[in-house]
Amino acid sequence: MNSKEFLSIRLNMGKTQKEMAELLGTSLRSIQSFEQGWRKIPNEIERQILYVLVMRSTKEQSLKPCWELESCPQDKKEHCPAWELDSGHLCWFINGTICKGRAYGDWSEKMEFCQECRVFQPIKQLYDKAIRSDQEGTSLLYEGGGKKEGKSEKWRSFDLFDQVPTSIAIIDRKYRIVDANKRFEDTFGACNGKKCFEVYKGRKRRCRHCVATETFMDGVTRVSQEQGRDIKGNLNHYLVHTSPYRDLEGNITHIIEMSTDITEKVRVQNEYMTIFNNVPCYITVIDRDFKVVKSNRQFQKTFGKYQGTHCYESYKKQKDICEECPAMVVFRDGKTHNSLQEGYDKKGNKVVYMVTATPYSKEDGQLKYVIEMALDVTQTFLLERHLKEAREFHQIMIQSTLTGIIADNKDGIINIYNPSAKKMLNYPTNKVVGKIPGERLYPRNFLSAIEEGDDTVSFREGELTGYKGNKVPIAFSGVRLKKDNEYIGKVMFFQDISKIKQLESEIIEAERLAAVGQTVAGLAHGIKNVLMGLEGGMYVVNSGIKRSDNGLVEQGWGMLQNNIEKISFFVKEFLNFARGTTLKAELTDPYIIATDIVDLYKDTMIQSGIEFLPKLEENIDKAPMDAQGVHTCIANLISNAIDACLMSDRKKTTITFSLFEKNGNICYEVRDNGCGMDYEVKKKIFTSFFTTKGSGEGTGLGLLTTRKIVHEHGGKVFFESGLGKGSVFRLEFPRNRLPIPPEEKSQLLSAKTDSLRHKGT
């Protein structure tokens, strides 16, 4: 049976392709391939068709059984399946029948014999009649066993012409629509006799790329995507199947176009493609040969258009597959995998990307494609590397610096304790970091400054307690740490200044001893003069005694008393300076010291005719000072200022005494417009027992004593002077260097001891 005969029989039977497929137990695609001649009609299909023809005609003519026509003996009948099944008219259909003394197992071989048999001739007549009736344009339609002849609309038998959910049009060689189903007319309107391009697209001339023309020429069925306007003028998208329709001679007389509206699908597809091409990552579809079969715009922009090339060539510009290939793993196990990869863009620049490879399409149970989505993380990768390098640098810097660093978090627990801090304090790191609060190690003045709201604590001096309870003098600075204006902790930087403190003490002592040495020479000269006075007094006394002159004795005795007092004064001042004094630091109000000075000297100023201008700043916080020592320093400066004013030729002299606090320094300043000092005098005022006062008026120890006391407070003495212009002396006491009162030291020591005891338990 050939394709034309198959088509004729189907049309004669009034079956659609779908109905024929269901009748024969095969697929619709198989029926189409039989009629188009793409596939040879199998024996079992031909066999079924013949059987159906016989069964449909049994009411019109009687078919005699084969054993009657062939006069088969009884013993042969008993061994024949046709006799057993009582189907003598179907002996050609039944395998294993015994004809001419043999059984035929192969259908082709059996039919060669059966076609010459008398039993098969009525079947052959039915077969030939079915073909002839189709060629004559009539169909054998059976209703209740009766046959009805009528004109055949052959294309309407291809499927349920008016019921299918697609638009079907029959087009002749002049591109006229000769028939269409209801769905087509509902979509495009009445169209019989109109040109297809006029109905579909509103054109007056045939389309430049006409699928119908190509199908008329080569008879190949085509599937194409077309655009057309419906009856309402809307532009829609259609998927069109164009198939040839052949007559019995095989000539293509018409084409059948089946159009499915895919407008919504195209819209979704366009949206998908828009996302596919504009998504900010690289997307590739890779086949089992690791070739890129599809890529998005972002990939092509970065790596180039590498359609059809291997993915490792596209991404990495290499000739071999990657050792850790995510696509290979997906092909192997069918699961989604992620990995970090490095490649090179089309300019040769390194690209770091995070790849997600996932299964995309399967065919016959085997994964056919993998889709890879790669997110460019080059900048993130570089930033992470720079952050890591910066962190390592900071860590090395913290660990290597000679400055001690202690930092705590927002909960107050220490989280940074570098080796330099450990070297100074000897606390084991594992007992500090993450274990104890910073307030157990920080100096009091650092904590108080932070508690008072200072974000930055500038250079100050303090004292830490080591692991064994030893005191460590330090110079420190610190910062309150914030992030987005939220407190996250604090950090303190400090250095051990034990050696500096010792050196300062040694320098002060050396200066004091040097001054003592210089003073000895001056004192010896002074005592020599006094001794000469004593000798003179003794001479006068002796002369008075010898002469019994009481007046002369009294005169000489007065000379002795005067010179003895001088010696006593010299020796006491010298001893006081030489042995030094111990500071008695306690919290003192700087303002009270200043007011005591004002009360002490205001009457003297009035008697001396000097204008006295106190400028005292109130509300200065108390500070740990030796009040008597500071009082002595200021008194020395005021006394010197009075002497300078009395020695001046000015008619109006003024002394200004000021108290103020600036940048954490408590300042006392004495300014006068007295006689002032020249260069030579300024060089000597702190270096020897030097005085500008007359004989017996001064010892030259006042400014030396003043500087010594100020230094012991951690402060400095500044002065300016010009001959005939006056002088300015200023004492500055930095709060962060003031001595700690003894009672506060005891409290700190007690607190540290309790802390250590608690830690030990």
Side-chain angles (χ1 to χ4, degrees), residues 537-695:
M538 289 177 62
Y539 175 78
V540 173
V541 171
N542 288 334
S543 297
I545 293 173
K546 288 179 180 180
R547 297 177 185 178
S548 300
D549 186 347
N550 290 333
L552 195 59
V553 172
E554 288 179 359
Q555 180 184 354
W557 184 250
M559 292 173 63
L560 287 172
Q561 285 182 324
N562 185 42
N563 284 289
I564 289 171
E565 289 176 358
K566 287 183 178 181
I567 289 175
S568 177
F569 179 75
F570 272 127
V571 172
K572 288 179 180 179
E573 287 291 313
F574 174 73
L575 288 175
N576 285 335
F577 180 76
R579 68 170 175 260
T581 57
T582 301
L583 289 180
K584 297 180 180 179
E586 57 185 10
L587 284 178
T588 304
D589 190 340
Y591 181 76
I592 293 177
I593 297 175
T595 55
D596 287 346
I597 292 292
V598 172
D599 293 340
L600 179 63
Y601 283 99
K602 63 182 179 180
D603 292 336
T604 303
M605 298 287 185
I606 294 172
Q607 293 174 7
S608 302
I610 301 171
E611 184 180 10
F612 189 36
L613 301 175
K615 296 182 179 179
L616 309 180
E617 181 180 320
E618 299 184 31
N619 300 322
I620 295 178
D621 292 339
K622 291 183 178 182
M625 290 180 169
D626 184 340
Q628 185 58 46
V630 175
H631 189 283
T632 299
C633 295
I634 301 172
N636 285 336
L637 298 181
I638 295 290
S639 178
N640 288 344
I642 292 173
D643 291 338
C645 287
L646 294 176
M647 295 171 62
S648 173
D649 295 333
R650 294 178 184 273
K651 293 182 179 181
K652 183 179 180 180
T653 53
T654 304
I655 295 177
T656 303
F657 174 45
S658 303
L659 166 65
F660 56 90
E661 184 170 0
K662 183 178 181 180
N663 298 328
N665 296 324
I666 300 172
C667 303
Y668 292 97
E669 184 178 276
V670 177
R671 182 185 297 270
D672 68 73
N673 62 350
C675 61
M677 295 178 284
D678 61 15
Y679 177 73
E680 292 299 326
V681 173
K682 288 191 286 185
K683 286 197 305 179
K684 298 176 182 179
I685 60 172
F686 290 123
T687 58
S688 66
F689 257 87
F690 176 77
T691 180
T692 58
K693 302 174 183 179
S695 178

Side-chain angles (χ1 to χ4, degrees), residues 175 196-197 203-210 213:
Y175 305 101
C196 58
F197 47 82
R203 294 172 60 93
K204 294 182 179 180
R205 302 181 66 181
R206 182 165 56 90
C207 304
R208 179 175 299 178
H209 302 288
C210 179
T213 300

